[in-house]
Amino acid sequence: IKQRPEKPLTLIRQLASTKRPPSRATFTSQEYKQLLVASRRRIKEAKKTLDLQRKLTKEGKGKSFGGGWERIWKARLYIHYYIIFLAHTGARPTEAQRVRHKDITLFDDKDPERCHLGVFIIGKRRDRNIISKYGAYFAYKSLCANICPNHKKDDLIFPTNPHAGLRELLRDSGLYHSSKGDKRDSKSFRHFYIMTALVGGVPQDQLIEQLDVSHAVLRDHYARHIEPRMFKENLIKVSHIQVT
């Protein structure tokens, strides 16, 4: 070791200016959409190259674009479903990697946005049953259809953490660093879930049960960073109150 480890400058500035725990790297809603757009583009590109290679091989032309395009395509699909599952459940990445297919219950509804999952989580502090948002429902069904169609009930739904592929996607989409200069990773989707829920008005007691987190952590790491601009549309919405 050439020198002692040092804290990143952004962390030092935050601690120096607030004397309180720093914020955690998350996404705005627009950044999250931007990431999914980039992810879908990369999936489409990989599938297009794979299909072209298969077509040329079938025609006997034998042109190669390099090996492993089926693996690359499926890896990008896997990352896409992984992102949506984390962002729509608030599960820690380590918790998501302990979930097995037998721990998932699908709840269907005529309204697609009411479709959701019930997920048994082996937690950091305690085990719990959580409810997902609708995105996780469709991500899980697509995962089963495209990645593990022959899965067994005891198989893990996410056997590996795709940290390298996720890092590549974050860099490709220009979202590897937050506006404060902090690096984003798989934990950032849990932070995104929490901040979105708080801004949306979900009671903290409900979040504590869903996320296995304390009041102190919600207050010190998340709630204190909420600003009026985050729920501007709710503030400017016309109500029954009449302007006089």
Side-chain angles (χ1 to χ4, degrees):
I1 300 177
K2 296 182 179 179
Q3 64 182 37
R4 65 182 178 80
E6 295 181 355
K7 292 181 180 179
L9 288 177
T10 53
L11 180 60
I12 294 173
R13 292 193 201 102
Q14 288 175 334
L15 289 173
S17 61
T18 64
K19 302 297 183 182
R20 300 173 68 182
S23 60
R24 298 178 175 181
T26 182
F27 297 88
T28 65
S29 295
Q30 186 59 42
E31 287 172 333
Y32 177 68
K33 292 177 183 177
Q34 179 182 333
L35 182 67
L36 292 186
V37 167
S39 178
R40 293 188 186 100
R41 171 180 55 79
R42 286 163 55 83
I43 291 168
K44 186 176 180 180
E45 289 171 352
K47 186 63 165 61
K48 183 178 180 181
T49 303
L50 174 62
D51 289 343
L52 179 57
Q53 193 167 48
R54 284 174 171 172
K55 178 176 179 292
L56 292 175
T57 300
K58 187 176 181 180
E59 293 174 353
K61 296 182 180 179
K63 185 175 180 180
S64 176
F65 300 96
W69 277 102
E70 182 173 8
R71 176 186 57 79
I72 293 170
W73 171 58
K74 288 192 174 182
R76 291 180 180 180
L77 280 173
Y78 181 95
I79 292 168
H80 191 77
Y81 304 143
Y82 182 73
I83 288 170
I84 296 174
F85 184 87
L86 293 180
H88 283 247
T89 61
R92 298 176 178 92
T94 52
E95 292 175 340
Q97 287 180 242
R98 289 194 286 264
V99 175
R100 300 179 185 276
H101 289 278
K102 67 180 181 182
D103 299 325
I104 300 281
T105 303
L106 290 92
F107 292 90
D108 298 301
D109 195 278
K110 293 181 180 178
D111 179 357
E113 292 192 3
R114 289 185 58 82
C115 293
H116 61 279
L117 301 176
V119 187
F120 174 69
I121 295 287
I122 300 175
K124 179 179 178 180
R125 301 189 306 173
R126 63 180 176 83
D127 299 345
R128 64 197 189 280
N129 289 290
I130 69 170
I131 299 298
S132 79
K133 295 181 182 181
Y134 72 95
Y137 171 92
F138 296 103
Y140 175 69
K141 291 193 72 173
S142 297
L143 174 81
C144 292
N146 296 317
I147 304 298
C148 51
N150 301 314
H151 67 267
K152 298 178 175 59
K153 64 179 182 179
D154 286 321
D155 291 345
L156 297 168
I157 64 171
F158 295 113
T160 60
N161 183 334
H163 54 85
L166 177 58
R167 184 170 61 246
E168 181 182 340
L169 170 60
L170 287 168
R171 284 175 171 159
D172 186 31
S173 60
L175 296 170
Y176 185 54
H177 291 94
S178 70
S179 59
K180 295 180 179 178
D182 298 310
K183 292 180 181 179
R184 293 185 173 111
D185 56 22
S186 56
K187 294 179 183 177
S188 300
F189 300 109
R190 174 176 167 87
H191 307 329
F192 170 72
Y193 177 96
I194 295 173
M195 289 299 294
T196 302
L198 287 172
V199 171
V202 177
Q204 292 192 21
D205 287 342
Q206 294 179 14
L207 286 178
I208 286 169
E209 290 301 314
Q210 169 83 355
L211 301 165
D212 184 26
V213 69
S214 68
H215 274 289
V217 169
L218 282 180
R219 180 188 67 243
D220 294 340
H221 291 284
Y222 300 102
R224 73 185 181 89
H225 297 287
I226 293 178
E227 301 173 8
R229 64 179 177 81
M230 297 178 179
F231 45 93
K232 180 180 71 173
E233 294 304 319
N234 292 334
L235 292 175
I236 65 177
K237 186 184 299 181
V238 176
S239 68
H240 66 280
I241 300 175
Q242 300 298 314
V243 178
T244 60

